[in-house]
Amino acid sequence: MAGQLEQALTKLKTTGVRMTPQRHAILSFLLDSMTHPTADDIYRALEAKFPNMSVATVYNNLKVFIEAGLVRELTYGDSSSRFDADMSDHYHALCEVCGKISDFEFDPVTYVELAAKERTGFQVKGHRLEVYGVCPECIGITKH
Ligand SMILES: [Zn+2]
Ligand SMILES: [Zn+2]
């Protein structure tokens, strides 16, 4: 993960985004945790270290990272967005019981984009695909 942080920091420099201790902490937390946390999760994990930081500050810093192309936001309505610092091509499986998000790799389903372009005339820029269900841990719990 150290290598990923270095890469992210280098990329940030080229975009002219100023690195602050808070931003550094948020980015390292995202890269280390890989749990797709909410802004609130990040806030709670770092509040001891940065007592003056608010959830709004965390959110604003995340927006900066998103604009710089370092973080992606997975929106689930309201304030329940989750954040992912893994910018590689991957899909998400979401547990409806505990809310855990697991990454999985799969060849991008580019034919969906092609079909969409053909049938709607859209200039397609991307797609979002998620699967929903129950994670292995929760299957174990519900079975007992
Ligand atoms: Zn679960
Ligand atoms: Zn992910």
Side-chain angles (χ1 to χ4, degrees), residues 36 72 74 84 86 90-92 101-103:
H36 310 80
R72 73 176 116 180
L74 315 168
D84 193 354
D86 181 357
H90 67 276
Y91 293 106
H92 294 121
I101 295 179
S102 295
D103 292 323

Side-chain angles (χ1 to χ4, degrees), residues 33-144:
S33 67
M34 284 294 164
T35 53
H36 310 80
T38 63
D40 206 51
D41 293 334
I42 300 169
Y43 165 72
R44 269 181 270 154
L46 300 177
E47 69 172 332
K49 212 171 159 194
F50 300 101
N52 297 322
M53 188 171 68
S54 66
V55 184
T57 319
V58 172
Y59 199 73
N60 289 337
N61 283 321
L62 287 166
K63 286 278 177 211
V64 171
F65 292 143
I66 291 163
E67 273 158 36
L70 287 174
V71 169
R72 73 176 116 180
E73 181 175 7
L74 315 168
T75 48
Y76 297 105
D78 301 332
S79 57
S80 51
S81 280
R82 312 267 296 244
F83 297 90
D84 193 354
D86 181 357
M87 298 300 281
S88 69
D89 275 331
H90 67 276
Y91 293 106
H92 294 121
L94 184 79
C95 177
E96 290 175 329
V97 179
C98 69
K100 176 175 121 169
I101 295 179
S102 295
D103 292 323
F104 67 95
E105 279 172 38
F106 189 76
D107 286 340
V109 282
T110 41
Y111 54 87
V112 173
E113 293 189 7
L114 289 172
K117 187 184 172 202
E118 237 170 64
R119 289 167 202 186
T120 65
F122 270 50
Q123 186 186 5
V124 178
K125 290 180 172 173
H127 65 271
R128 180 175 167 176
L129 180 147
E130 281 172 335
V131 299
Y132 305 93
V134 183
C135 75
E137 286 78 22
C138 291
I139 292 171
I141 292 164
T142 50
K143 266 184 183 163
H144 290 297

